[in-house]
Amino acid sequence: KYACSIMGTITEGKYERMGVDSSLGISVKTEAGTRKVDYLSAGTEDVAYISLRLALIELLFRNETPPLIFDESFAQLDEGRLENMLKIIAAASYGDDINQIQQSVIFTCHGREAQLMDKIGQYNKISL
């Protein structure tokens, strides 16, 4: 349910339902019916996997929040979906409950993430 919520937020409601079968294959409900995730664009496929990973972290770490590390995880996302993803990350980074604040590290060779974060909120950028 949490993964579907994240996926729906990132895709602005286009894909709000997905499931995982016994062989760990992901299916997504589309306007044309239920499809395997590899039927969709590479960016949408990445969104599905990121959504499931975040849901798994939520399930496993209920009382503590481990840091999240993204290494070129957003390279295939379009600008709108990247912005939605960064908003989710930013919201988790600045919560009211200090025990639930999520530290995230994004490794990228692109400037898109920093440009969007300039609009979204506070962040620290380190260039190597």
Side-chain angles (χ1 to χ4, degrees), residues 66-111:
L68 298 177
I69 299 174
F70 300 97
D71 187 1
E72 290 296 344
S73 300
F74 314 130
Q76 300 187 90
L77 273 60
D78 63 33
E79 296 298 313
R81 290 183 180 179
L82 174 59
E83 184 173 356
N84 293 338
M85 182 73 235
L86 293 174
K87 285 178 181 177
I88 289 171
I89 292 170
S93 298
Y94 300 104
D96 293 333
D97 182 356
I98 192 72
N99 296 319
Q100 295 299 317
I101 291 177
Q102 185 83 51
Q103 180 184 23
S104 298
V105 179
I106 300 171
F107 293 103
T108 183
C109 62
H110 306 281

Side-chain angles (χ1 to χ4, degrees), residues 31-64:
E31 292 175 354
T34 302
R35 303 280 189 227
K36 295 277 187 189
V37 73
D38 58 0
Y39 170 82
L40 305 171
S41 71
T44 303
E45 186 174 0
D46 285 352
V47 168
Y49 283 111
I50 291 167
S51 299
L52 284 172
R53 287 181 190 129
L54 293 176
L56 182 60
I57 290 167
E58 174 76 16
L59 181 67
L60 294 175
F61 297 94
R62 292 195 182 274
N63 297 323
E64 55 188 65

